Amino acid sequence: MLVNYANEVEAADGLRQSYETIRKEIAKVIVGQDDVIKSVLVAIFSNGHCLLVGVPGLAKTLLVQTVARVLDLDFNRIQFTPDLMPSDIIGSEILGENRAFKFIKGPVFSNIILADEINRTPPKTQAALLEAMQEKSVTASGVTHKLQQPFFVLATQNPIEQEGTYPLPEAQLDRFMFNVSLDYPTFAEELQVVRNTTGTSVSEVNKVLNAEQIIYFQQLVRNIPVTDNVLEYAVRLAAKTRPQGELATPAVKRLLTWGAGPRASQFLVLGAKCHAVISGKYSPDIEDVQAVAKAILRHRIVRSYQAEAEGLSADQIIEQLF
């Protein structure tokens, strides 16, 4: 049942409380990775998709499965391999018993899709997700089929092993709200992981929200007011990454060959709104924009040879823009 809030301030408090409860439930299974969990939940409440980049064994898949259980959403995992075909994702038409074609839905027809190792499949198959991620629908044989709502794609990618992989096209990357980097756990966290996973105990998580409540909170995030100076800061930050643009600094022209598009500006504002609410505020400020900027911009900028020669990462260049 959807909770009826008296006003948007009370609803914002409800979102913040739900967020804290969700984090506590996820912490029963996932040790550490607080920033990663925060980014995934901000993406979900902002109605965006998330790309998780990390070496094997950092619980990327387990995190997505746990989020799906806590949010009480339908979940499907798609293992991306070189021989995967678009019909294996969106579905296909078959000839039925009455000699009429009928559409058999593929695994993309679910609330949360885990696109495991998304860069291991050719661009033709990667492109099968483009319409689903943007329009929340798929088209087969000229017929458009709407997907379940809410709908999220949480994709994983291994940054080390590049043999047999296909880099994601820029159009595909741009549809991900966040590019989240996972790092190794600390010694204490890894000790806790081993202690929890080498015994017989199994951690059970409680369901906190349902699909209807998530859709309600997504609309609430969009209704959060934003001041003109924060809006202008977000748009200016994205525009400063474009070396051909009027706001580009000499450093940007030297270090970048391509910058972020308007979708980055939209995600900066939406992400800042959600980040503000879960931080106990009712309107975002510049610090909220900066808090989500790296994850939003790092996969939308292309470094120049000069930047690579100097060993500058995308995050370091983004920090200079602040």
Side-chain angles (χ1 to χ4, degrees), residues 282-298:
Y282 302 111
S283 181
D285 52 31
I286 289 176
E287 285 72 22
D288 292 305
V289 177
Q290 293 177 344
V292 299
K294 288 183 181 178
I296 289 174
L297 296 176
R298 65 166 59 108

Side-chain angles (χ1 to χ4, degrees), residues 2-3 39 47 57 90 100 111 115 128 159 186 188 193 201 303 310 321:
L2 182 62
V3 177
S39 295
N47 200 13
I90 66 175
N111 295 124
T186 64
V193 168
S201 62
R303 293 177 299 158
E310 295 179 15
L321 300 178

Side-chain angles (χ1 to χ4, degrees), residues 79-140:
Q79 186 65 50
F80 280 69
T81 55
D83 60 347
L84 194 72
M85 298 297 292
S87 59
D88 296 327
I89 298 175
I90 66 175
S92 59
E93 286 192 333
I94 65 170
L95 191 62
E97 296 178 356
N98 59 353
R99 295 183 178 277
F101 283 99
K102 64 177 181 179
F103 181 69
I104 303 300
K105 295 180 178 179
V108 76
F109 285 86
S110 191
N111 295 124
I112 292 185
I113 304 300
L114 170 58
D116 206 9
E117 295 193 281
I118 190 173
N119 59 330
R120 289 203 172 276
T121 197
K124 177 182 178 180
T125 306
Q126 292 176 8
L129 281 175
L130 289 177
E131 181 184 359
M133 294 174 69
Q134 183 62 29
E135 280 81 28
K136 307 296 174 68
S137 64
V138 297
T139 301

Side-chain angles (χ1 to χ4, degrees), residues 84-304:
L84 194 72
M85 298 297 292
S87 59
D88 296 327
I89 298 175
I90 66 175
S92 59
E93 286 192 333
I94 65 170
L95 191 62
E97 296 178 356
N98 59 353
R99 295 183 178 277
F101 283 99
K102 64 177 181 179
F103 181 69
I104 303 300
K105 295 180 178 179
V108 76
F109 285 86
S110 191
N111 295 124
I112 292 185
I113 304 300
L114 170 58
D116 206 9
E117 295 193 281
I118 190 173
N119 59 330
R120 289 203 172 276
T121 197
K124 177 182 178 180
T125 306
Q126 292 176 8
L129 281 175
L130 289 177
E131 181 184 359
M133 294 174 69
Q134 183 62 29
E135 280 81 28
K136 307 296 174 68
S137 64
V138 297
T139 301
S141 300
V143 179
T144 300
H145 306 269
K146 288 293 183 182
L147 298 174
Q148 298 181 43
Q149 296 298 318
F151 174 76
F152 312 106
V153 174
L154 300 177
T156 67
Q157 187 171 312
N158 177 359
I160 297 179
E161 188 179 5
Q162 299 301 324
E163 186 175 351
T165 63
Y166 303 84
L168 268 64
E170 296 302 322
Q172 180 85 62
L173 282 173
D174 197 44
R175 279 163 171 75
F176 286 102
M177 179 178 184
F178 284 154
N179 179 333
V180 182
S181 298
L182 285 81
D183 205 353
Y184 289 108
T186 64
F187 178 81
E189 290 172 346
E190 188 167 353
L191 192 64
Q192 186 65 35
V193 168
V194 175
R195 182 179 291 116
N196 293 349
T197 57
T198 54
T200 57
S201 62
V202 178
S203 299
E204 294 293 335
V205 296
N206 299 312
K207 297 174 181 177
V208 179
L209 297 177
N210 57 34
E212 186 182 9
Q213 291 169 312
I214 293 170
I215 293 172
Y216 175 83
F217 283 136
Q218 287 176 342
Q219 190 59 46
L220 172 70
V221 168
R222 285 189 165 271
N223 290 337
I224 296 297
V226 56
T227 59
D228 287 343
N229 71 305
V230 175
L231 193 67
E232 291 174 5
Y233 179 82
V235 175
R236 185 178 296 272
L237 183 61
K240 285 166 65 176
T241 65
R242 303 163 193 162
Q244 302 85 1
E246 57 183 353
L247 298 180
T249 64
V252 166
K253 293 179 180 179
R254 182 172 62 88
L255 298 176
L256 297 180
T257 59
W258 203 255
R263 191 180 276 123
S265 302
Q266 296 170 337
F267 283 147
L268 283 170
V269 173
L270 281 174
K273 286 183 176 184
C274 187
H275 188 273
V277 173
I278 65 176
S279 301
K281 295 179 283 189
Y282 302 111
S283 181
D285 52 31
I286 289 176
E287 285 72 22
D288 292 305
V289 177
Q290 293 177 344
V292 299
K294 288 183 181 178
I296 289 174
L297 296 176
R298 65 166 59 108
H299 59 298
R300 291 183 163 88
I301 61 176
V302 179
R303 293 177 299 158
S304 66

Side-chain angles (χ1 to χ4, degrees), residues 38-50 152 177-178 274:
K38 186 176 187 178
S39 295
V40 170
L41 294 178
V42 168
I44 287 175
F45 287 123
S46 302
N47 200 13
H49 309 287
C50 206
F152 312 106
M177 179 178 184
F178 284 154
C274 187

